[in-house]
Amino acid sequence: MNMNAMKLLLITALCAGTPAWAGEAAATAPKAPAAPSAKPRETVQEKGSSEKGKPAPQKEGVTVLLQAPTFSPRFAQTPIALVNDDPILMQEFTDALGSIHEGTGSGADAKAGKKNYQSVLDRLVSARLIMAEGFNMGLDELPEAKKGISDFSASSLGEILKRHQLDGVKPDQKVVDRIYQDLVKEWKIRSVKFDKKDDADKLAEQLKGGGKFDALADKLIDAGKVQGGKEGEWVQPKGLLPQIAQALSRMKDGEVTAVLPVGPAFTLVELQEVRFPKGNDQALEEATQRALELKGNQVLDQYWKDLEKKYVTLHKKVLDKLDFEAPRPGFDKLLKDRRVVADIRGEKPITVGDLAAAIRGKFFHGIGEAIKIKKVNEGKVPALEDMLLARVFKMEALKQGIDRSDEYKNANKKYRDSIVFGMFIDKVVVPEIKVTNGEVEDYYKAHVADYSSPEMIKLKELVFAKGEDAESAAEKLRKGAEFQWLSANAAGQVPAGSEGRLEFGDTPWITKKLAPAVQLALAGAKGGDFRLYTSPEGYSYVLAVQDVIPAKPAPLESARKEIAKKLYGEKVNKSIEEWGEKLRKAYQVKLYLAEPAQ
């Protein structure tokens, strides 16, 4: 069954008045002072009054079964679980299901699907429990967390404001068409390549004198003096060397390039025709996206100019005279300079000291080294623009009440939750995780095939229309006949290039990537063997095994880092699952997700 058509049964709590989960998410668990660990709270009792410091359980009354289409936007905000009255919504569940493609029909698939749905929900619950415990430990009050949350809160105001300006923006169709043509453009070209520049220059002179490229090139090819084809071929600009593509981009149909160097050789290229194939959906999608981005940049650029005119007064004389690289007064003195570089209406002005501090923050290896190599002054204008953008967009967003919007609150809640979750993993889970050399070595031994170069086989083929001819040729080869002689003289062969005819060439093939029937025919083969194979097209092959290159395990040391990383990740995930199970005993968890509807 298609995933989008899958139905889930939700046991939805109904009670008098507004459900507990109907509005904003309830506050997370009460916070305690930061500590390395916090004693899990006891489970909230289902009956009677709540224990001290714990919320009383909500009475939910009778229940009904609701068939909710998983990917329907109508049910995106429907809770499928509660962790301490903090809802896990259907949208979160469907986002997490994104990588799962199993069907939900009958039999084994249905069981696998049910298991996956439950596993996804369990991971969501575990994550929410860990976040609740992190807040209970006061991880959000740690300085690094508070700074990250504060920075995101400020920047998200401006980002949301920008997104609002882009609502309803559409790309210019002329721009879409122009970009589409650039993406699909093809040139029909013909070229000749010379070993010596003097010979190429002679052809160029003949063309200037009125000679025709086709006739002159054909004559040189027939005489064996140049390399090249007698027919033009269609190519895309991206498939050509940059110097050739650049030359052709300035030309008209029928024109020939000047002599162009190509490695040690020299070439002249004729542009015969240009075309723009229609119906390339992928190129059209890319062109539309690029044009939309261009339009969006134009809209935001004009919006910023309007805001800058409304709020900003730039003190250009002060800015122009600033020299952050000069020995006097020196960078440290400028950090304390209170001269105003830009006034912002309704906001604190930006001073020379503010600008100096912002510039210093961009050089992670120290401002002194940047001053020595003269890289500081070039960054003063961009740094000032960044500061103005951040402050003005934030101020305008606050004036428009974006900080009171659900969009802003939800974005900040998600970020705050992710910070707390990440800090719990870093401070509680990760310190307990160790991967030993012995574990790496044991894993390597058990999975050595995953860290080996594959077996490869080098083949030559004789292909016949009739099976008896192939059998006769194989018998002659086994008795000592030369392969090359039979290839040139055996009757009944299928010509090279025939439709469906396999050609193995000179490059070894990975044995497991050959067609299963070919692998079966070659099973156990070694260099010098001759095997018979009949293809689905009805061709009879004699497969001459030139060489078999056995699989070769990679040295342990080359795989050690990759294996350690894999084992480390598995241990972290297992620890998260264990913490989820442990915390379920300490926090109130209610699941409303039942089995998928058939």
Side-chain angles (χ1 to χ4, degrees):
M1 184 181 296
N2 187 292
M3 178 69 78
N4 287 305
M6 189 269 286
K7 306 283 187 182
L8 292 176
L9 293 178
L10 293 175
I11 306 173
T12 306
L14 296 181
C15 61
T18 305
W21 41 261
E24 291 291 325
T28 53
K31 299 168 188 162
S37 63
K39 183 180 178 181
R41 301 183 302 164
E42 295 181 17
T43 306
V44 174
Q45 301 298 313
E46 289 296 328
K47 294 182 180 180
S49 61
S50 63
E51 297 181 24
K52 184 177 180 181
K54 301 178 179 62
Q58 297 290 327
K59 293 182 178 180
E60 296 183 323
V62 298
T63 62
V64 296
L65 294 178
L66 172 67
Q67 284 192 316
T70 313
F71 293 95
S72 169
R74 294 176 183 271
F75 295 91
Q77 300 304 306
T78 303
I80 60 171
L82 293 178
V83 177
N84 270 22
D85 283 336
D86 186 14
I88 296 174
L89 304 178
M90 177 74 85
Q91 183 66 60
E92 299 173 70
F93 181 68
T94 55
D95 288 345
L97 279 173
S99 60
I100 297 177
H101 301 289
E102 287 87 354
T104 56
S106 60
D109 285 343
K111 293 179 181 179
K114 186 195 304 182
K115 182 179 179 181
N116 278 314
Y117 304 142
Q118 187 61 49
S119 174
V120 169
L121 182 58
D122 286 343
R123 288 199 298 271
L124 290 172
V125 169
S126 293
R128 195 62 60 86
L129 286 166
I130 285 173
M131 285 186 284
E133 180 69 0
F135 281 111
N136 199 43
M137 292 168 61
L139 295 179
D140 59 318
E141 297 294 339
L142 295 179
E144 59 266 43
K146 291 178 77 171
K147 184 180 186 307
I149 293 168
S150 176
D151 289 347
F152 181 84
S153 177
S155 65
S156 63
L157 283 168
E159 292 305 314
I160 293 172
L161 177 64
K162 291 176 190 177
R163 285 203 296 271
H164 287 183
Q165 309 315 306
L166 298 177
D167 288 345
V169 171
K170 296 181 180 179
D172 292 335
Q173 190 57 46
K174 289 183 179 179
V175 178
V176 174
D177 294 341
R178 174 175 57 77
I179 296 175
Y180 177 83
Q181 287 195 339
D182 287 342
L183 290 172
V184 303
K185 178 166 60 178
E186 294 180 352
W187 290 320
K188 188 177 184 182
I189 62 172
R190 187 181 174 194
S191 63
V192 287
K193 186 168 72 171
F194 296 84
D195 292 329
K196 296 179 180 179
K197 186 174 184 300
D198 288 345
D199 294 335
D201 288 339
K202 288 179 183 177
L203 176 57
E205 287 299 322
Q206 290 175 313
L207 293 171
K208 287 180 181 178
K212 299 297 183 183
F213 184 87
D214 284 351
L216 293 171
D218 287 350
K219 186 176 180 181
L220 290 169
I221 292 170
D222 291 339
K225 295 182 178 180
V226 298
Q227 298 178 41
K230 290 190 174 184
E231 298 292 333
E233 59 176 328
W234 288 101
V235 296
Q236 284 195 306
K238 63 183 179 183
L240 297 171
L241 292 171
Q243 66 268 33
I244 295 177
Q246 186 177 12
L248 291 172
S249 67
R250 299 189 294 263
M251 290 167 47
K252 298 177 181 178
D253 293 2
E255 293 183 342
V256 181
T257 65
V259 176
L260 300 173
V262 180
F266 302 89
T267 188
L268 286 93
V269 184
E270 180 189 37
L271 177 61
Q272 296 181 335
E273 190 179 344
V274 182
R275 70 182 180 187
F276 305 96
K278 297 180 179 180
N280 188 327
D281 293 338
Q282 183 177 351
L284 179 59
E285 183 179 351
E286 183 177 346
T288 302
Q289 183 59 38
R290 286 194 197 177
L292 183 59
E293 289 173 3
L294 288 171
K295 184 66 174 179
N297 289 336
Q298 291 171 4
V299 169
L300 290 177
D301 184 58
Q302 184 58 52
Y303 184 64
W304 164 243
K305 288 178 180 177
D306 294 341
L307 290 178
E308 187 178 31
K309 186 176 180 181
K310 180 179 178 181
Y311 291 113
V312 178
T313 300
L314 183 65
H315 297 272
K316 197 170 184 305
K317 288 183 179 180
V318 176
L319 181 64
D320 290 344
K321 288 180 180 180
L322 279 177
D323 186 352
F324 290 104
E325 297 167 356
R328 293 184 181 180
F331 193 85
D332 289 342
K333 288 281 185 67
L334 292 175
L335 283 168
K336 302 173 184 178
D337 193 327
R338 308 317 299 167
R339 284 179 295 163
V340 174
V341 178
D343 280 307
I344 305 174
R345 186 177 172 188
E347 259 278 337
K348 289 172 58 179
I350 295 176
T351 66
V352 173
D354 295 332
L355 180 57
I359 291 173
R360 182 177 60 180
K362 294 181 180 295
F363 293 98
F364 302 107
H365 301 292
I367 193 68
E369 190 61 32
I371 290 173
K372 287 180 183 178
I373 60 175
K374 305 294 183 183
K375 286 290 183 181
V376 179
N377 283 335
E378 67 185 36
K380 69 179 181 180
V381 172
L384 178 60
E385 289 178 348
D386 288 346
M387 295 176 73
L388 288 170
L389 282 166
R391 293 195 188 187
V392 171
F393 273 120
K394 178 183 176 182
M395 182 174 63
E396 182 66 15
L398 290 172
K399 286 188 175 183
Q400 294 187 18
I402 288 176
D403 58 318
R404 300 189 297 275
S405 69
D406 288 343
E407 182 181 10
Y408 173 78
K409 292 176 182 177
N410 291 336
N412 280 272
K413 180 184 181 301
K414 286 182 180 179
Y415 186 80
R416 185 173 62 253
D417 289 348
S418 70
I419 283 281
V420 170
F421 180 86
M423 292 190 72
F424 187 94
I425 300 303
D426 288 341
K427 294 183 179 297
V428 179
V429 175
V430 167
E432 301 298 321
I433 304 297
K434 298 289 187 294
V435 176
T436 66
N437 287 335
E439 289 172 324
V440 171
E441 290 163 9
D442 289 344
Y443 185 90
Y444 174 80
K445 291 174 184 177
H447 301 84
V448 67
D450 296 337
Y451 300 94
S452 300
S453 59
E455 179 187 275
M456 303 184 78
I457 190 166
K458 190 173 182 180
L459 302 168
K460 287 186 177 180
E461 77 285 345
L462 297 175
V463 189
F464 296 89
K466 297 180 180 179
E468 54 266 31
D469 290 338
E471 292 172 4
S472 174
E475 186 62 27
K476 290 176 182 177
L477 288 167
R478 293 187 183 109
K479 290 180 178 180
E482 290 186 0
F483 184 91
Q484 289 300 118
W485 186 88
L486 275 176
S487 178
N489 295 282
Q493 294 186 69
V494 176
S498 298
E499 184 176 357
R501 183 191 188 279
L502 296 177
E503 296 179 16
F504 293 97
D506 297 324
T507 304
W509 288 70
I510 296 174
T511 306
K512 288 185 177 180
K513 290 192 175 181
L514 294 170
V518 176
Q519 291 184 49
L520 184 62
L522 293 170
K526 56 184 181 295
D529 285 353
F530 303 98
R531 298 293 181 91
L532 294 170
Y533 162 69
T534 301
S535 73
E537 293 80 12
Y539 299 149
S540 295
Y541 290 74
V542 179
L543 301 176
V545 181
Q546 305 296 295
D547 191 17
V548 176
I549 305 165
K552 182 180 179 181
L556 170 60
E557 288 309 310
S558 68
R560 184 181 294 278
K561 187 174 180 180
E562 180 183 345
I563 294 172
K565 183 178 179 181
K566 177 180 177 63
L567 294 178
Y568 182 85
E570 290 176 351
K571 286 191 173 188
V572 169
N573 288 335
K574 183 178 179 183
S575 181
I576 290 172
E577 291 175 5
E578 290 171 350
W579 269 102
E581 288 299 317
K582 186 189 303 183
L583 293 173
R584 278 180 185 242
K585 300 173 184 177
Y587 292 89
Q588 185 179 19
V589 176
K590 295 179 181 178
L591 303 180
Y592 298 134
L593 183 65
E595 296 182 8
Q598 301 300 317

